[in-house]
Amino acid sequence: MTEKKAAPAAPTRASAKKELPEHFKDYKHVWVFIELERDEVHSVSWELLGEGRKLADTLKVDLCAVVMGPPGEGLEKAVRESWGYGADVTYVVADPILADYRTQSYTEGLETLINTHKPEIILLGATTLGRDLAGSLATTLKTGLTADCTGLEIDDGSLAATRPTFGGTLLCTIYTLNFRPQMATVRPRVMAMPDFTEGRSGKRIDFPLNIKENDIITKVLEFIPDTTSDKVNLAYADIVVAGGMGLGSAANFQHVMDLARVLGADYGGSRPTVQKGWIPAERQIGQTGKTIRPKLYIAAGISGAIQHRVGVEGADMILAINSDPNAPIFEFAHYGIVGDATQILPALTKAFEQRLSKMRKAG
Amino acid sequence: MHIVVCIKQVPDSAQIRVHPVTNTIMRQGVPTIINPYDLFALEEALRVRDRFGGKVTVLTMGPPMAEDSLRKALGYGVDAAVLLTDRAFAGSDTLATSFALATAIEKLHQEDPVHIVFTGKQTIDGDTAQVGPGIAQRLKLQQLTYVSAIRDVDSAGKSITVERRAEGGTQVLKTTLPCLITMLEGTNTLRRGSMDDVFRAVRSEVRTWSARDAGVEDITKCGLRGSPTVVKKVFAPQPRMEKAQQIDALGKSPAEIADETINMLFTASNQLGDDILKLTEAI
Ligand SMILES: Cc1cc2nc3c(=O)[nH]c(=O)nc-3n(C[C@H](O)[C@H](O)[C@H](O)COP(=O)(O)OP(=O)(O)OC[C@H]3O[C@@H](n4cnc5c(N)ncnc54)[C@H](O)[C@@H]3O)c2cc1C
Ligand SMILES: Nc1ncnc2c1ncn2[C@@H]1O[C@H](COP(=O)(O)O)[C@@H](O)[C@H]1O
């Protein structure tokens, strides 16, 4: 019955909700939760600082970062970088308990910080960590949360969060009018990476975590890092080659991998190729897979359904190869080849190989 | 052990069409299915029951016709089913949905203590992945999201050890029951219901609860009124005006087409060549 997410609310209802209760009026500033795990910051956090900057400038308020984690150089580096990526103020919650992500410690820590410093907007990455935390936090704060946004704007002082709905066939814009903070998550790579300003500095506010290990019910017995072969960095690849059902068989996926290898690219595919078992699930591109933002995206034998499209639209250049001149992919690709992908791909691989080896020789 | 699985009946979005003129969803004739992600939760719940004993109750909040999805679940061998249906729930966002479901689970808990609540990772229509965490927080259950495997449940029903998909690896977590698990997709394969179960599903009772039956005291926490988010606008994505620039393939060999394509890409981006050289340097 969450139908409401798709059906427009009656306008009277929306306007009736307009007046922000008095006790929420001192909620101010835009916050971005910086996702720090094992000393690494997830790039989505920097992407969100870039987006948060625009919101903060429109509202004429501060952009603040929240860095939580165990004390140490990893945390200090994250704090410095948060300023470099645009934060004016950085809240720091440093405690050894935060070494491993756990819902309880992070929710309680962030909740106390929010209730003390009262932000009007808080943005988190739509990662496994971010979604776990955002979902839990929004419930404890009893406020609105819009998941997986593809656009954030300020409309008449409120956050207007746009997200796909109905399997990506439509978009909807959602507001949290009379509750604070307004919360939203955004998937990695949906927003562009902001510029980094070396040496830019900001204000630092340390905040304690008043939780003891004994209070935390869930224990981490072990962390098993992904082996390098499992590590698919598709979302951050500069060039991506992908295949769809038009390839006809798992064996033909080799053509995609060959071209990817020659270009130093990563490879992926449409959802049905994953469902068929041609490629592993981490390589699915699209609304229910990875969002990519490469400089060049080559899609072979992919029809270009809306759920695929939303995951690739951030690419600088899209080249589509499809035997059907009316395939929807030609509506958003920049370049198109009407032809048989199983012939064009090997030809491209060979031609690139020759061209690149010439360039290498020429130095 | 008592296990509750939350499932949602959703329109089969693969078959949803948007009206080309009015830009509204054409719902007529769109078949409904159990949210595909919930099937992994359902199967895992049945496995835990089969391994450690107990019973599985499925719970859904939805219109009266959502009963269909509960009957389907009964056909896979679920022990009991509850349909939460009331006009007061209409227009619920995730906060209001988790409130209603949590209230119903609390009531089930009073009848027969609940040890584990399962939800899917997300729905294909709401698509937020928030309802699971919402239920966990409201009921003060330990929250285990993106679980890929259940390693062990201790025999006294006091603790559980699971594997959880985290960023960059797998966390092995041990926590106390009761807990809420959102199950990762692709982690199991739904069984086929036995003939007995399929027949039983038709005859079994599906308990239908209104908001009051479920124990909701404050109706303003439900439906539109209980939802902090407001949908102001629904619209179709902007079609791009310019279409793809086609490489003229007529009467040309794949090699000729490939050459022409590379020329075009290199003309469009004079950095591309350098980028590729850099990317392939390591190899
Ligand atoms: C809730 C939901 C979520 C979804 N999420 C995703 C997602 O994240 N990612 C995703 O990709 N999809 C997703 N989908 C599925 C999506 O709707 C499409 O079904 C899917 O993208 C189609 O994949 P495809 O283009 O490979 O296959 P098809 O649609 O079958 O297209 C194959 C294409 O190949 C062309 N072709 C055939 N032979 C050749 C040849 N020899 N050479 C060149 N071209 C050829 C055909 O003309 C056709 O255009 C989702 C669907 C739903 C309902
Ligand atoms: N109306 C509902 N009835 C029962 N379970 C639901 C309902 N809505 C969501 N859920 C559960 O919560 C999970 C996450 O849903 P969502 O937050 O909408 O992505 C789903 O996979 C279901 O298990």
Side-chain angles (χ1 to χ4, degrees), chain A residues 45-65:
Chain A
S45 308
W46 307 142
E47 292 158 18
L48 286 175
L49 276 180
E51 207 56 25
R53 184 76 262 167
K54 295 180 212 161
L55 302 178
D57 289 349
T58 310
L59 288 166
K60 301 196 172 55
V61 297
D62 287 342
L63 174 65
C64 310

Side-chain angles (χ1 to χ4, degrees), chain A residues 1-2 5, chain B residues 6-8 35 37-38 41 59-62 94 97 101 118-132 135:
Chain A
M1 268 203 218
T2 36
K5 288 175 202 154
Chain B
C6 298
I7 64 172
K8 187 180 183 193
N35 175 40
Y37 292 109
D38 297 349
L59 170 66
T60 192
M61 178 181 97
T94 51
T97 301
L101 290 170
F118 276 97
T119 72
K121 183 182 91 169
Q122 64 195 66
T123 51
I124 60 168
D125 59 343
D127 200 17
T128 72
Q130 287 162 18
V131 169
I135 295 171

Side-chain angles (χ1 to χ4, degrees), chain A residues 2 4 6 17 101 127-128 131-132 163 171 173 175 218-219 221-222 224 226 330 334 336 355 360, chain B residues 8 91 127 142 145-146 165 167 170 172 174-175 227 229-230 232-235 244-245 247 263 280:
Chain A
T2 36
K4 190 193 119 197
K17 283 195 155 200
Y101 173 76
T127 57
T128 49
R131 283 173 167 227
D132 184 282
R163 72 185 302 263
L171 295 166
T173 306
Y175 295 67
T218 300
K219 304 294 173 196
L221 302 186
E222 204 184 337
I224 309 161
D226 292 337
F330 292 129
H334 305 91
R355 195 75 67 102
R360 281 194 194 94
Chain B
K8 187 180 183 193
D127 200 17
Q142 292 307 304
T145 52
Y146 305 101
R165 182 81 269 214
E167 294 294 326
T170 301
V172 182
K174 182 170 181 174
T175 195
S227 301
T229 59
V230 182
K232 273 216 183 170
K233 196 166 74 171
V234 178
F235 55 104
Q245 184 181 333
I247 286 121
N263 287 342
T280 48

Side-chain angles (χ1 to χ4, degrees), chain B residues 197-263:
Chain B
D197 287 329
V198 174
F199 284 128
R200 202 174 48 87
V202 186
R203 287 180 274 114
S204 288
E205 181 206 9
V206 166
R207 300 166 80 186
T208 303
W209 289 354
S210 66
R212 181 198 291 264
D213 296 335
V216 172
E217 279 163 12
D218 184 358
I219 210 83
T220 64
K221 288 186 179 167
C222 297
L224 215 47
R225 275 190 291 175
S227 301
T229 59
V230 182
V231 178
K232 273 216 183 170
K233 196 166 74 171
V234 178
F235 55 104
Q238 272 291 320
R240 248 178 53 139
M241 280 310 140
E242 1 53 289
K243 290 218 168 184
Q245 184 181 333
Q246 296 287 351
I247 286 121
D248 183 15
L250 209 67
K252 288 187 189 137
S253 70
E256 288 168 315
I257 298 171
D259 256 332
E260 208 167 298
T261 306
I262 294 174
N263 287 342

Side-chain angles (χ1 to χ4, degrees), chain A residues 53-189:
Chain A
R53 184 76 262 167
K54 295 180 212 161
L55 302 178
D57 289 349
T58 310
L59 288 166
K60 301 196 172 55
V61 297
D62 287 342
L63 174 65
C64 310
V66 179
V67 179
M68 296 176 75
E73 180 43 33
L75 179 114
E76 294 307 320
K77 181 159 175 262
V79 172
R80 286 192 303 272
E81 288 189 341
S82 70
W83 295 327
Y85 282 113
D88 304 308
V89 177
T90 299
Y91 292 98
V92 184
V93 185
D95 194 300
I97 286 180
L98 300 171
D100 278 296
Y101 173 76
R102 281 173 294 175
T103 312
Q104 190 189 348
S105 47
Y106 274 74
T107 303
E108 287 180 17
L110 194 49
E111 186 194 357
T112 320
L113 187 66
I114 289 171
N115 286 335
T116 310
H117 290 283
K118 302 187 168 47
E120 60 189 306
I121 292 173
I122 172 158
L123 309 177
L124 300 94
T127 57
T128 49
L129 189 161
R131 283 173 167 227
D132 184 282
L133 178 58
S136 132
L137 194 62
T139 314
T140 48
L141 295 169
K142 304 274 183 296
T143 190
L145 162 61
T146 308
D148 282 8
C149 301
T150 51
L152 299 172
E153 268 171 55
I154 299 297
D155 173 17
D156 198 13
S158 294
L159 179 68
T162 298
R163 72 185 302 263
T165 182
F166 273 98
T169 37
L170 292 175
L171 295 166
C172 63
T173 306
I174 297 179
Y175 295 67
T176 298
L177 292 173
N178 52 5
F179 293 87
R180 291 293 177 268
Q182 306 160 84
M183 295 180 62
T185 64
V186 178
R187 297 197 343 172
R189 293 306 253 168

